[in-house]
Amino acid sequence: MDSCTGVEQDLDKAISKFNNINDHTNRVLQDVINQVEDLRREILKQPTNTPLSQTQSTVVNDLAVSVKDTVSQMSADHRLLHATVSRVGKSIDRHFIGEYASVAPKAESFCSDTNRPIMEQAVAQHLYRQGLEDVGDTFVAEANIQGVERTCTFALLQRCASSLAEGDPSAALQWVENRTQDLQHSPLPFTLHRMQALKLARERGVGAAIEYARAQFPAHAARHERQLQAAVCALAWCTPGAGPAPHHYHHLLDPKALGAEAAELFVREACALLRLAPLSALAGAVAVGARVLPALHDIRAKMTHPHVVAAWADDELPFEVDLGEEGGGYHSVFACPILRQQASEQNPPMRLFCGHVISRDALNKLVMGAKLKCPYCPTEQLPAEARQIYFS
């Protein structure tokens, strides 16, 4: 998550810079176009083949110089923008690890006689669950796969979710109406009716939306009073000639955003009702792998650290073990409690006069003049009173 945040910050900077340069360039170009058009109209007022006056010649020369300077400035801005975009790529390389071959399963493991049929069935099932029947049929026929259910229930749910994402709640509403009793405590029916009302307001007018709301919303008023009020108020900005809507209504007036939210809720509630896993076996494996691979790579990197390799060579445990309230903690590699760094020959552990142990780097950072105050107790002491300790 920290890696995604770091890349997102660099990407936001690039987008912001692009938008600023784009707005500035459009304004400058429009000014140049206006100047050229004004000069053209002025010249056209004169009779044909009439030479330019001294003033007009000066204006033309000044305008040519201005256009040349503008083009040069735009080129310089473009180069700066290119450098900013390049930094996004470098940020991705810096924050993310591109090589997972050392921790990922070998491709050959999926090709064994035991695993290959399982993998092929998972791919076919995923295709059918996504509603890609034609692609799934072709894959099953060419790979000669057996035992895959074609008409799975999830395919219908996926088609309803896809329609919702495109702004059409009709299929999902029909599915919900057939299961009204089972969904009486779910927020899904109101969410779909709200989406349909706002869709009617855009396509057929506010009158049709109000008529639909009067028929459907009363059954949900008690549980969704605030959301219902917001939806009704949002209708005011669906009328022709309405001004820009306040920020808190933008989500309701955006069909794509509203559809994406409804699609996610529909899949979650429908899968819970039908006792289906919201992810296929293939999608679940990919999601789990994406989460666990960075942790595995981090573990492998730590295990190849020189200190950890040495610990394994000496039959020592290179990790801290919590033994509970009574047992305390055990760790064979000292880590500075201040800087959170493992001790080394260049940065050994130092015992203070009061008995607490920190690293030498931390000791040097805590020295104030000729005195050192322990970070764990108020004891003041001289830095020279600290003694290096050794673990055998």
Side-chain angles (χ1 to χ4, degrees), residues 351-357 374-377 379 381:
R351 181 186 183 278
L352 303 182
F353 180 78
C354 56
H356 293 107
V357 181
C374 177
Y376 289 97
C377 64
T379 304
Q381 50 203 289

Side-chain angles (χ1 to χ4, degrees), residues 23 47 57 87 98 114 126 168 191 220 224 227 261 272 326 335 337 339 368 392:
D23 295 341
S57 299
R87 279 195 290 272
T114 302
H126 178 77
D168 182 12
T191 301
H220 308 281
H224 306 281
Q227 295 93 324
E261 178 186 1
E326 298 181 357
L339 298 182
M368 300 293 293
S392 60

Side-chain angles (χ1 to χ4, degrees), residues 122-173:
V123 173
Q125 182 192 58
H126 178 77
L127 293 174
Y128 286 134
R129 281 175 62 106
Q130 296 300 114
L132 304 173
E133 287 89 353
D134 295 339
V135 180
D137 290 342
T138 303
F139 177 73
V140 169
E142 293 184 358
N144 193 23
I145 303 173
Q146 305 295 329
V148 180
E149 183 183 359
R150 183 182 188 278
T151 57
C152 59
T153 306
F154 195 88
L156 174 60
L157 303 183
Q158 188 63 35
R159 285 193 289 270
C160 294
S162 299
S163 298
L164 285 172
E166 295 174 359
D168 182 12
S170 56
L173 276 171

Side-chain angles (χ1 to χ4, degrees), residues 219-293:
H220 308 281
R223 297 186 65 237
H224 306 281
E225 182 179 359
R226 289 193 175 183
Q227 295 93 324
L228 191 152
Q229 292 173 350
V232 173
C233 291
L235 296 177
W237 283 276
C238 295
T239 57
H247 178 73
H248 50 278
Y249 289 120
H250 287 177
H251 178 74
L252 292 174
L253 299 174
D254 184 355
K256 294 295 184 182
L258 203 62
E261 178 186 1
E264 182 180 355
L265 178 63
F266 176 80
V267 172
R268 184 169 66 249
E269 293 291 317
C271 288
L273 177 62
L274 300 177
R275 297 183 179 181
L276 294 174
L279 294 177
S280 66
L282 180 64
V286 171
V288 171
R291 286 179 176 271
V292 77
L293 273 179

Side-chain angles (χ1 to χ4, degrees), residues 206-226:
V206 176
I210 293 177
E211 182 179 353
Y212 181 86
R214 286 174 176 171
Q216 302 295 339
F217 282 0
H220 308 281
R223 297 186 65 237
H224 306 281
E225 182 179 359
R226 289 193 175 183

Side-chain angles (χ1 to χ4, degrees), residues 334 336-337 339 341 343 347-350 357-364:
F334 175 77
C336 175
L339 298 182
Q341 297 176 348
N347 182 30
M350 304 293 293
V357 181
I358 60 177
S359 66
R360 178 181 290 172
D361 288 347
L363 184 148
N364 295 332

Side-chain angles (χ1 to χ4, degrees), residues 14-29 73-82 84:
I15 294 175
S16 177
K17 193 166 188 176
F18 172 81
N19 291 333
N20 293 336
I21 292 177
N22 182 61
D23 295 341
H24 175 72
T25 301
N26 288 335
R27 289 195 301 269
V28 171
L29 287 177
Q73 183 61 42
M74 291 171 56
S75 299
D77 292 341
H78 183 270
R79 287 193 295 271
L80 292 175
L81 179 62
H82 184 270
T84 304

